[in-house]
Amino acid sequence: MHLRCSCAWIVVLAALNSSLATFAAAADKADPTGTWTWIRELEGQEAQSALSLTYKDGKLSGSYKRQGQVVPIANAKFEKNQISFDAEGKWNDQKVHGKFKGKLRSDEINGTIEIVVEDGSLPLPWKATRGVDADDLAGTWKLKFATPNGGTAEPVLKLSTEGGALKEIGRAHV
């Protein structure tokens, strides 16, 4: 009986070890491709930043958008779930360099942004999630769906963005 229990534990441990190895291999295959968004407060107003990434053939590329500025990222790397890249921009007519570093876990990037300006640098926490750039949703949306009574509803929804935030500007029923 004791031998059977020991054998059962060996089988369980082997299966657990195999599962952990499979999980680790899957984690190494994480893909940062997609749109990543986060909200940052700037001068008392919230603004959405968006990062569009593509990871192909071992190379990371993309663009960074903040307050209407879209810039390509540079020095981009993705190794062992670690993302890093640089982005240039302007703030109050001053050149700004951002150094982004973070760890990808599922649908979240956690790390830091080091903001470098002429008179110094400032590290900021960075937490981005897979999402949709609000600007991609702005416009007129015509919807059509069946109602519970067997009819059809065709509402029209108009959306705009203001500071990266999505706002409803109109609604109509056709």
Side-chain angles (χ1 to χ4, degrees):
M1 174 94 166
H2 182 68
L3 182 59
R4 228 184 317 180
C5 285
S6 296
C7 289
W9 274 111
I10 290 171
V11 170
V12 168
L13 290 174
L16 180 60
N17 188 35
S18 174
S19 295
L20 290 174
T22 302
F23 177 75
D28 287 342
K29 294 182 181 183
D31 187 353
T33 298
T35 299
W36 299 86
T37 61
W38 62 98
I39 303 291
R40 173 116 23 241
E41 188 175 317
L42 300 168
E43 295 185 341
Q45 292 186 351
E46 285 188 345
Q48 179 182 355
S49 294
L51 174 64
S52 178
L53 293 176
T54 301
Y55 185 63
K56 187 174 180 182
D57 299 327
K59 295 186 180 182
L60 184 64
S61 61
S63 61
Y64 169 62
K65 181 169 83 174
R66 183 184 63 82
Q67 293 188 317
Q69 297 178 53
V70 179
V71 296
I73 63 172
N75 305 318
K77 293 180 185 168
F78 180 62
E79 296 172 345
K80 296 181 182 176
N81 293 354
Q82 297 289 330
I83 292 175
S84 64
F85 62 91
D86 298 336
E88 301 291 333
K90 285 192 160 210
W91 178 256
N92 294 335
D93 295 323
Q94 191 176 57
K95 185 178 176 183
V96 176
H97 181 84
K99 295 180 180 186
F100 293 71
K101 292 180 183 178
K103 182 167 182 110
L104 172 64
R105 286 192 184 110
S106 184
D107 289 335
E108 194 171 271
I109 301 172
N110 278 300
T112 59
I113 307 170
E114 182 182 355
I115 306 296
V116 181
V117 292
E118 293 171 4
D119 55 354
S121 68
L122 173 68
L124 299 170
W126 178 41
K127 183 177 178 181
T129 56
R130 285 192 199 268
V132 176
D133 184 355
D135 287 340
D136 292 340
L137 298 176
T140 301
W141 293 85
K142 296 178 183 178
L143 309 169
K144 183 176 183 178
F145 57 90
T147 62
N149 65 2
T152 302
E154 296 185 36
V156 176
L157 181 64
K158 293 183 180 182
L159 302 172
S160 72
T161 57
E162 197 173 293
L166 198 59
K167 299 198 183 238
E168 180 181 342
I169 58 173
R171 187 184 322 181
H173 295 278
V174 179

PDB file of all heavy atoms in Angstrom, residues 28 32 55 58 60 76-84 102-104:
ATOM      1  N   ASP A  28       6.876  32.120 -22.389  1.00  0.00           N
ATOM      2  CA  ASP A  28       7.949  32.626 -23.241  1.00  0.00           C
ATOM      3  C   ASP A  28       7.433  33.023 -24.613  1.00  0.00           C
ATOM      4  O   ASP A  28       8.067  33.785 -25.315  1.00  0.00           O
ATOM      5  CB  ASP A  28       9.052  31.572 -23.406  1.00  0.00           C
ATOM      6  CG  ASP A  28       9.880  31.416 -22.144  1.00  0.00           C
ATOM      7  OD1 ASP A  28       9.825  32.328 -21.296  1.00  0.00           O
ATOM      8  OD2 ASP A  28      10.566  30.395 -22.025  1.00  0.00           O
ATOM      9  N   PRO A  32       3.469  40.746 -27.614  1.00  0.00           N
ATOM     10  CA  PRO A  32       3.047  42.109 -27.280  1.00  0.00           C
ATOM     11  C   PRO A  32       2.273  42.809 -28.392  1.00  0.00           C
ATOM     12  O   PRO A  32       1.840  43.947 -28.228  1.00  0.00           O
ATOM     13  CB  PRO A  32       4.384  42.814 -27.031  1.00  0.00           C
ATOM     14  CG  PRO A  32       5.329  42.126 -27.955  1.00  0.00           C
ATOM     15  CD  PRO A  32       4.886  40.683 -27.947  1.00  0.00           C
ATOM     16  N   TYR A  55       5.061  42.612 -33.199  1.00  0.00           N
ATOM     17  CA  TYR A  55       6.210  41.750 -32.926  1.00  0.00           C
ATOM     18  C   TYR A  55       6.224  40.675 -33.992  1.00  0.00           C
ATOM     19  O   TYR A  55       5.343  39.817 -34.046  1.00  0.00           O
ATOM     20  CB  TYR A  55       6.091  41.137 -31.530  1.00  0.00           C
ATOM     21  CG  TYR A  55       7.296  40.334 -31.119  1.00  0.00           C
ATOM     22  CD1 TYR A  55       8.544  40.942 -30.987  1.00  0.00           C
ATOM     23  CD2 TYR A  55       7.192  38.984 -30.848  1.00  0.00           C
ATOM     24  CE1 TYR A  55       9.644  40.211 -30.591  1.00  0.00           C
ATOM     25  CE2 TYR A  55       8.289  38.243 -30.442  1.00  0.00           C
ATOM     26  CZ  TYR A  55       9.516  38.866 -30.322  1.00  0.00           C
ATOM     27  OH  TYR A  55      10.612  38.146 -29.936  1.00  0.00           O
ATOM     28  N   GLY A  58      10.929  38.169 -34.416  1.00  0.00           N
ATOM     29  CA  GLY A  58      11.837  38.543 -33.343  1.00  0.00           C
ATOM     30  C   GLY A  58      12.116  40.030 -33.238  1.00  0.00           C
ATOM     31  O   GLY A  58      12.982  40.440 -32.478  1.00  0.00           O
ATOM     32  N   LEU A  60      10.536  43.981 -32.576  1.00  0.00           N
ATOM     33  CA  LEU A  60       9.451  44.780 -32.033  1.00  0.00           C
ATOM     34  C   LEU A  60       9.469  46.156 -32.693  1.00  0.00           C
ATOM     35  O   LEU A  60      10.514  46.793 -32.792  1.00  0.00           O
ATOM     36  CB  LEU A  60       9.624  44.922 -30.516  1.00  0.00           C
ATOM     37  CG  LEU A  60       8.530  45.649 -29.758  1.00  0.00           C
ATOM     38  CD1 LEU A  60       7.204  44.891 -29.848  1.00  0.00           C
ATOM     39  CD2 LEU A  60       8.935  45.829 -28.302  1.00  0.00           C
ATOM     40  N   ALA A  76      13.548  49.367 -29.862  1.00  0.00           N
ATOM     41  CA  ALA A  76      12.551  48.458 -29.276  1.00  0.00           C
ATOM     42  C   ALA A  76      13.110  47.048 -29.130  1.00  0.00           C
ATOM     43  O   ALA A  76      13.739  46.516 -30.043  1.00  0.00           O
ATOM     44  CB  ALA A  76      11.305  48.445 -30.146  1.00  0.00           C
ATOM     45  N   LYS A  77      12.836  46.458 -27.963  1.00  0.00           N
ATOM     46  CA  LYS A  77      13.266  45.091 -27.684  1.00  0.00           C
ATOM     47  C   LYS A  77      12.161  44.357 -26.935  1.00  0.00           C
ATOM     48  O   LYS A  77      11.446  44.954 -26.134  1.00  0.00           O
ATOM     49  CB  LYS A  77      14.522  45.090 -26.815  1.00  0.00           C
ATOM     50  CG  LYS A  77      15.739  45.628 -27.502  1.00  0.00           C
ATOM     51  CD  LYS A  77      16.923  45.599 -26.575  1.00  0.00           C
ATOM     52  CE  LYS A  77      18.111  46.261 -27.255  1.00  0.00           C
ATOM     53  NZ  LYS A  77      19.193  46.519 -26.329  1.00  0.00           N
ATOM     54  N   PHE A  78      12.058  43.061 -27.206  1.00  0.00           N
ATOM     55  CA  PHE A  78      11.157  42.200 -26.459  1.00  0.00           C
ATOM     56  C   PHE A  78      11.874  40.879 -26.244  1.00  0.00           C
ATOM     57  O   PHE A  78      12.076  40.105 -27.177  1.00  0.00           O
ATOM     58  CB  PHE A  78       9.840  41.978 -27.215  1.00  0.00           C
ATOM     59  CG  PHE A  78       8.873  41.098 -26.479  1.00  0.00           C
ATOM     60  CD1 PHE A  78       8.362  41.474 -25.251  1.00  0.00           C
ATOM     61  CD2 PHE A  78       8.482  39.879 -27.013  1.00  0.00           C
ATOM     62  CE1 PHE A  78       7.476  40.658 -24.566  1.00  0.00           C
ATOM     63  CE2 PHE A  78       7.595  39.056 -26.340  1.00  0.00           C
ATOM     64  CZ  PHE A  78       7.084  39.449 -25.112  1.00  0.00           C
ATOM     65  N   GLU A  79      12.311  40.639 -25.012  1.00  0.00           N
ATOM     66  CA  GLU A  79      13.032  39.420 -24.657  1.00  0.00           C
ATOM     67  C   GLU A  79      12.564  38.944 -23.292  1.00  0.00           C
ATOM     68  O   GLU A  79      12.522  39.733 -22.343  1.00  0.00           O
ATOM     69  CB  GLU A  79      14.539  39.686 -24.611  1.00  0.00           C
ATOM     70  CG  GLU A  79      15.123  40.083 -25.948  1.00  0.00           C
ATOM     71  CD  GLU A  79      16.573  40.538 -25.852  1.00  0.00           C
ATOM     72  OE1 GLU A  79      17.054  40.813 -24.723  1.00  0.00           O
ATOM     73  OE2 GLU A  79      17.213  40.614 -26.899  1.00  0.00           O
ATOM     74  N   LYS A  80      12.230  37.677 -23.211  1.00  0.00           N
ATOM     75  CA  LYS A  80      11.808  37.062 -21.949  1.00  0.00           C
ATOM     76  C   LYS A  80      10.718  37.882 -21.271  1.00  0.00           C
ATOM     77  O   LYS A  80      10.793  38.169 -20.074  1.00  0.00           O
ATOM     78  CB  LYS A  80      13.007  36.863 -21.023  1.00  0.00           C
ATOM     79  CG  LYS A  80      14.018  35.900 -21.590  1.00  0.00           C
ATOM     80  CD  LYS A  80      15.178  35.697 -20.663  1.00  0.00           C
ATOM     81  CE  LYS A  80      16.181  34.750 -21.320  1.00  0.00           C
ATOM     82  NZ  LYS A  80      17.369  34.589 -20.532  1.00  0.00           N
ATOM     83  N   ASN A  81       9.734  38.282 -22.052  1.00  0.00           N
ATOM     84  CA  ASN A  81       8.572  39.056 -21.591  1.00  0.00           C
ATOM     85  C   ASN A  81       8.906  40.471 -21.116  1.00  0.00           C
ATOM     86  O   ASN A  81       8.070  41.130 -20.514  1.00  0.00           O
ATOM     87  CB  ASN A  81       7.786  38.307 -20.518  1.00  0.00           C
ATOM     88  CG  ASN A  81       7.134  37.062 -21.072  1.00  0.00           C
ATOM     89  OD1 ASN A  81       7.172  36.795 -22.267  1.00  0.00           O
ATOM     90  ND2 ASN A  81       6.531  36.290 -20.207  1.00  0.00           N
ATOM     91  N   GLN A  82      10.125  40.925 -21.362  1.00  0.00           N
ATOM     92  CA  GLN A  82      10.525  42.289 -21.024  1.00  0.00           C
ATOM     93  C   GLN A  82      10.439  43.156 -22.275  1.00  0.00           C
ATOM     94  O   GLN A  82      10.990  42.806 -23.312  1.00  0.00           O
ATOM     95  CB  GLN A  82      11.956  42.325 -20.470  1.00  0.00           C
ATOM     96  CG  GLN A  82      12.143  41.569 -19.179  1.00  0.00           C
ATOM     97  CD  GLN A  82      11.488  42.256 -17.992  1.00  0.00           C
ATOM     98  OE1 GLN A  82      11.365  43.465 -17.928  1.00  0.00           O
ATOM     99  NE2 GLN A  82      11.050  41.450 -17.033  1.00  0.00           N
ATOM    100  N   ILE A  83       9.746  44.286 -22.163  1.00  0.00           N
ATOM    101  CA  ILE A  83       9.597  45.235 -23.267  1.00  0.00           C
ATOM    102  C   ILE A  83      10.386  46.484 -22.927  1.00  0.00           C
ATOM    103  O   ILE A  83      10.333  46.968 -21.791  1.00  0.00           O
ATOM    104  CB  ILE A  83       8.113  45.614 -23.459  1.00  0.00           C
ATOM    105  CG1 ILE A  83       7.327  44.425 -23.973  1.00  0.00           C
ATOM    106  CG2 ILE A  83       7.949  46.813 -24.380  1.00  0.00           C
ATOM    107  CD1 ILE A  83       5.838  44.664 -24.083  1.00  0.00           C
ATOM    108  N   SER A  84      11.099  47.010 -23.910  1.00  0.00           N
ATOM    109  CA  SER A  84      11.753  48.306 -23.730  1.00  0.00           C
ATOM    110  C   SER A  84      11.785  49.018 -25.077  1.00  0.00           C
ATOM    111  O   SER A  84      11.896  48.381 -26.124  1.00  0.00           O
ATOM    112  CB  SER A  84      13.164  48.147 -23.160  1.00  0.00           C
ATOM    113  OG  SER A  84      13.995  47.459 -24.074  1.00  0.00           O
ATOM    114  N   GLY A 102       9.132  47.589 -19.245  1.00  0.00           N
ATOM    115  CA  GLY A 102       8.079  46.901 -18.525  1.00  0.00           C
ATOM    116  C   GLY A 102       8.084  45.412 -18.774  1.00  0.00           C
ATOM    117  O   GLY A 102       8.744  44.917 -19.682  1.00  0.00           O
ATOM    118  N   LYS A 103       7.334  44.718 -17.949  1.00  0.00           N
ATOM    119  CA  LYS A 103       7.195  43.271 -18.069  1.00  0.00           C
ATOM    120  C   LYS A 103       5.780  42.957 -18.546  1.00  0.00           C
ATOM    121  O   LYS A 103       4.802  43.437 -17.982  1.00  0.00           O
ATOM    122  CB  LYS A 103       7.461  42.587 -16.738  1.00  0.00           C
ATOM    123  CG  LYS A 103       7.362  41.076 -16.836  1.00  0.00           C
ATOM    124  CD  LYS A 103       7.928  40.394 -15.622  1.00  0.00           C
ATOM    125  CE  LYS A 103       7.842  38.901 -15.786  1.00  0.00           C
ATOM    126  NZ  LYS A 103       9.103  38.283 -15.971  1.00  0.00           N
ATOM    127  N   LEU A 104       5.701  42.141 -19.595  1.00  0.00           N
ATOM    128  CA  LEU A 104       4.414  41.725 -20.150  1.00  0.00           C
ATOM    129  C   LEU A 104       3.916  40.504 -19.401  1.00  0.00           C
ATOM    130  O   LEU A 104       4.633  39.517 -19.270  1.00  0.00           O
ATOM    131  CB  LEU A 104       4.575  41.393 -21.636  1.00  0.00           C
ATOM    132  CG  LEU A 104       3.372  40.762 -22.325  1.00  0.00           C
ATOM    133  CD1 LEU A 104       2.185  41.714 -22.339  1.00  0.00           C
ATOM    134  CD2 LEU A 104       3.737  40.364 -23.749  1.00  0.00           C
TER     135      LEU A 104
END
